């Protein structure tokens, strides 16, 4: 049993948010009732507030991406649980621009329901609101998955591109169209060799047989639909890239995110990225941008994901536009 280092006698999510806000007091401020994190600085050209959120345990997504050039607010739920619709509603009201607010929502049932309720309340108040639903996980692209593809690592890329476009003054309709286009050209897949540690029991979320890995895990610690014998890293990465590219539009320029799931070291992730870049180069695909690190973990799961976004005209410039958040600074 692995006991986590959480505060005693207090809600450890709230304590973590308090610590985060104090550490980055020049970038964000924390609203405590209801809980949300709001950016301090905002480009005066921005006409639309951008709000995202989801369960805790995935840090730095989303609170670490609040700041100039990215999110105006992020709404955290409890560990692996959707935020309440009141949190989303109040955060959206606080950051809505003259053209309204855009919700970036990962495709999970709880998130869709609570963001939907908040959107109805905002519209009742006369605030325009639209949604970009991120659904990039190829592991859940099947007729047996009622909810469709899960939203995973591509959310980081979508939020960066949308934030840059918002800073250029793009209106709500334009941002919605752009966000949906980026999502449509983004796909991800994740693998794990060791499950996350349950924050409730202190036990592994699942146990793998020796020599096996889970191919297609989720960021809430969901098991894959299948376990496979663990191949050499090069073969594994090549398989993952092939699966992702088979479900993205053709192109010759891409952004790549290699994301650690919480228990994977930097040296491992850069090994993954090196092979990913080689694979893409062999296919004639150049890298217009990349991120390597732990961006959307599943607590302390030992594994990684690969996300590829095939670029369209003008997106590279948006990717490289200035941003200043707790974890992403350009």
């Amino acid at each position: 049993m692995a006991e986590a280092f959480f505060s005693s006698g207090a809600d450890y999510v709230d304590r973590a948010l308090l610590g985060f806000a104090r550490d980055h007091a020049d970038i964000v401020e924390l609203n405590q009732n209801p809980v949300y994190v709001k950016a301090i600085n905002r480009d005066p050209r921005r006409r639309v507030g951008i709000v995202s959120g989801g369960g805790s345990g995935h840090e730095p997504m989303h609170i670490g991406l609040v700041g100039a050039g990215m999110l105006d607010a992020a709404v955290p739920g409890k560990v692996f649980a959707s935020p309440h619709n009141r949190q989303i509603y109040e955060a959206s009201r606080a950051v809505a621009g003259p053209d309204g607010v855009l919700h970036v929502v990962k495709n999970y049932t709880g998130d869709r329901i609570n963001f939907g309720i908040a959107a109805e309340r905002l519209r009742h108040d006369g605030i325009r609101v639209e949604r970009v639903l991120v659904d990039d996980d190829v592991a859940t692209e099947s007729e047996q998955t009622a909810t469709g593809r899960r939203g995973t690592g591509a959310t980081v890329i979508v939020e960066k591109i949308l934030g840059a476009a918002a800073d250029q003054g793009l209106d709500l309709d334009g941002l919605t169209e752009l966000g949906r286009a980026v999502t449509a050209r983004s796909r991800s897949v994740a693998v794990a060799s060791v499950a996350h540690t349950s924050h409730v029991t202190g036990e592994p979320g699942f146990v793998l047989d020796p020599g096996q890995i889970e191919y297609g895990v989720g960021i809430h610690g969901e098991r894959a639909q299948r376990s496979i014998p663990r191949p050499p890293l090069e073969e594994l990465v090549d398989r993952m890239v092939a699966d992702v590219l088979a479900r993205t539009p053709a192109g010759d320029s891409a952004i790549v995110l290699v994301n650690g799931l919480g228990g994977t070291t930097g040296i491992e992730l850069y090994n993954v990225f090196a092979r990913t870049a080689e694979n893409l180069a062999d296919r004639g695909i150049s890298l217009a941008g990349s991120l390597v690190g732990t961006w959307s973990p599943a607590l302390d799961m030992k594994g990684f994901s690969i996300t590829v976004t095939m670029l369209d005209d003008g997106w590279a410039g948006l990717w490289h536009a200035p941003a200043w958040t707790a974890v992403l600074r350009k």
Side-chain angles (χ1 to χ4, degrees):
M1 181 172 178
E3 184 176 355
F5 293 99
F6 291 144
S7 298
S8 58
D11 188 310
Y12 47 83
V13 171
D14 289 344
R15 293 293 293 172
L17 289 168
L18 182 62
F20 171 81
R22 286 177 173 170
D23 188 35
H24 301 288
D26 58 329
I27 299 173
V28 302
E29 59 184 40
L30 175 65
N31 192 85
Q32 293 183 286
N33 186 25
V35 172
Y36 61 84
V37 175
K38 175 185 172 183
I40 292 175
N41 299 310
R42 176 170 172 157
D43 193 302
R45 296 172 296 174
R46 188 173 284 215
R47 300 184 55 79
V48 177
I50 303 178
V51 178
S52 192
S56 296
H58 308 305
E59 292 76 22
M61 192 173 72
H62 296 275
I63 58 173
L65 301 175
V66 173
M70 290 199 69
L71 297 176
D72 292 292
V75 188
K78 302 304 182 184
V79 173
F80 293 172
S82 169
H84 191 275
N85 62 80
R86 178 172 172 250
Q87 295 173 257
I88 301 164
Y89 168 74
E90 295 289 356
S92 299
R93 280 187 58 89
V95 302
D99 281 355
V101 63
L102 180 63
H103 290 163
V104 181
V105 184
K106 299 188 300 302
N107 187 26
Y108 292 96
T109 301
D111 290 347
R112 291 173 64 174
I113 290 172
N114 282 294
F115 273 90
I117 293 171
E120 290 180 5
R121 295 182 64 189
L122 291 163
R123 293 186 183 108
H124 184 267
D125 292 346
I127 298 173
R128 290 193 66 205
V129 56
E130 293 289 349
R131 170 189 294 186
V132 170
L133 187 68
V134 183
D135 58 350
D136 55 304
D137 182 17
V138 302
T140 43
E141 184 175 321
S142 71
E143 295 179 356
Q144 288 72 42
T145 307
T147 57
R149 292 184 303 267
R150 295 175 293 216
T152 60
T155 312
V156 177
I157 297 173
V158 171
E159 291 172 355
K160 174 63 185 74
I161 290 176
L162 284 177
D167 281 356
Q168 294 180 3
L170 194 62
D171 63 13
L172 180 59
D173 291 338
L175 287 171
T176 304
E177 181 180 359
L178 174 61
R180 291 172 179 172
V182 176
T183 297
R185 298 178 70 87
S186 302
R187 293 291 182 267
S188 305
V189 70
V191 298
S193 59
V194 179
H196 70 288
T197 305
S198 169
H199 61 288
V200 176
T201 67
E203 299 292 338
F206 55 84
V207 178
L208 281 165
D209 292 334
Q212 298 283 302
I213 62 169
E214 288 286 282
Y215 190 95
V217 293
I219 60 171
H220 296 107
E222 303 98 332
R223 291 201 73 162
Q225 294 180 353
R226 63 190 184 277
S227 302
I228 64 171
R230 180 170 181 165
L233 179 68
E234 293 78 8
E235 292 180 19
L236 178 60
V237 170
D238 289 351
R239 175 175 175 173
M240 295 170 71
V241 172
D243 281 351
V244 167
L245 293 182
R247 294 165 175 83
T248 56
D252 58 10
S253 181
I255 293 169
V256 168
L257 168 68
V258 171
N259 169 60
L261 294 180
T264 313
T265 63
I267 193 170
E268 293 169 283
L269 295 176
Y270 281 113
N271 271 262
V272 172
F273 176 66
R275 183 60 179 184
T276 302
E278 291 169 353
N279 186 298
L280 294 175
D282 290 343
R283 297 170 181 267
I285 301 171
S286 63
L287 284 182
S290 60
L291 282 178
V292 181
T294 299
W295 295 93
S296 179
L299 292 174
D300 60 346
M301 182 179 281
K302 179 78 170 180
F304 65 91
S305 63
I306 297 175
T307 301
V308 177
T309 298
M310 283 295 179
L311 296 187
D312 207 340
D313 292 343
W315 293 4
L318 295 172
W319 175 256
H320 291 291
W324 196 261
T325 75
V327 297
L328 183 57
R329 300 180 179 186
K330 290 180 174 285

